[in-house]
């Protein structure tokens, strides 16, 4: 009788475990479907943004670590690094090294202000082109880490007010 009751109990436990596993499998499949839908929507949005001439970028600043930058294909095109296998640190270094030397203080000031939560836009000469960059969002991950999210776009404003090696910072 003891053996039979143990077998019945194990059979019930097995059925419960099977149901739980099946429920978990169904939930996982649904989550994967939703994740794939989100991924497709992001790709479509990225294509729309890129076709409008904007490169989306993401800079990660962490205490004690080198800044890192990543972005979409249009961003790499605007920077002139399409097809290059650069790390995120190398991408940041490449971008920063292309900013006109006279513009670096203005860019640094702009980024600092943006990290303080102020909205601003900067245009800088990168190599021979003017690139406008906007920070759309600043995420504080913790005390030692921030992420800047924004867009690059070629500046159509190559106004007379721009001297050949000058960057202006405009407030919104």
């Amino acid at each position: 009788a003891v053996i039979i009751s143990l077998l019945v109990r194990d059979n019930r436990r097995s059925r419960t475990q099977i149901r739980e596993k099946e429920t978990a499998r169904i939930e996982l499949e649904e989550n994967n479907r939703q994740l794939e839908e989100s991924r497709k929507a992001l790709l479509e949005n990225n294509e729309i943004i890129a076709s409008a001439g904007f490169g989306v970028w993401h800079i990660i600043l962490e205490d004690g670590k080198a800044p890192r930058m990543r972005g979409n294909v249009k961003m790499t095109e605007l920077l002139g690094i399409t097809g290059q296998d650069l790390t995120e640190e190398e991408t940041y270094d490449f971008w920063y090294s292309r900013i006109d030397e006279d513009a670096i203080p203005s860019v640094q000031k702009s980024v600092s202000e943006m990290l303080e939560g102020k909205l601003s836009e900067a245009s800088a000469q990168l190599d021979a082109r003017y690139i406008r960059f906007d920070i759309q969002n600043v995420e504080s991950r913790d005390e030692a880490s921030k992420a800047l999210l924004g867009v690059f776009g070629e500046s159509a404003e190559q106004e007379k007010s721009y001297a050949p090696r000058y960057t202006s910072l405009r407030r919104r």
Side-chain angles (χ1 to χ4, degrees):
V2 172
I3 294 175
I4 293 174
S5 68
L6 288 174
L7 288 174
V8 168
R9 186 188 71 194
D10 286 346
N11 189 25
R12 281 190 208 129
R13 190 178 304 158
S14 295
R15 286 182 191 165
T16 302
Q17 288 172 338
I18 290 170
R19 275 194 302 270
E20 288 172 354
K21 286 181 180 181
E22 181 63 15
T23 300
R25 183 191 64 76
I26 290 169
E27 287 176 8
L28 181 60
E29 286 178 358
E30 176 61 19
N31 289 342
N32 285 338
R33 185 191 62 73
Q34 290 175 1
L35 183 62
E36 182 61 20
E37 285 178 10
S38 294
R39 188 188 69 74
K40 285 180 181 177
L42 283 172
L43 286 173
E44 289 173 9
N45 288 337
N46 186 46
E47 288 175 13
I48 291 167
I49 291 168
S51 68
F54 294 104
V56 178
W57 54 267
H58 185 184
I59 295 176
I60 301 165
L61 304 170
E62 292 181 282
D63 288 349
K65 293 185 179 180
R68 300 187 316 267
M69 178 183 225
R70 64 176 172 252
N72 67 358
V73 173
K74 186 64 177 182
M75 183 209 76
T76 61
E77 179 186 312
L78 288 168
L79 289 180
I81 58 174
T82 301
Q84 295 184 33
D85 190 23
L86 301 177
T87 66
E88 291 178 349
E89 291 86 0
E90 291 168 332
T91 300
Y92 178 88
D93 289 342
F94 185 91
W95 165 70
Y96 196 81
S97 71
R98 297 306 184 274
I99 298 171
D100 185 78
E101 190 174 301
D102 294 338
I104 289 176
S106 176
V107 170
Q108 288 174 334
K109 181 181 177 195
S110 178
V111 169
S112 294
E113 289 175 348
M114 293 172 190
L115 285 170
E116 294 170 3
K118 299 174 184 174
L119 295 176
S120 66
E121 171 187 296
S123 294
Q125 186 172 350
L126 298 178
D127 295 331
R129 300 181 313 191
Y130 285 93
I131 302 291
R132 186 186 79 245
F133 60 97
D134 301 313
I135 294 180
Q136 304 297 325
N137 191 16
V138 176
E139 295 176 353
S140 293
R141 296 174 175 196
D142 55 43
E143 288 289 320
S145 174
K146 296 211 185 276
L148 308 174
L149 309 169
V151 295
F152 278 142
E154 281 195 270
S155 178
E157 300 178 5
Q158 297 180 15
E159 304 165 4
K160 293 178 184 175
S161 63
Y162 285 124
R165 299 177 57 84
Y166 179 75
T167 299
S168 73
L169 174 67
R170 296 181 314 262
R171 292 251 180 229
R172 287 189 198 186

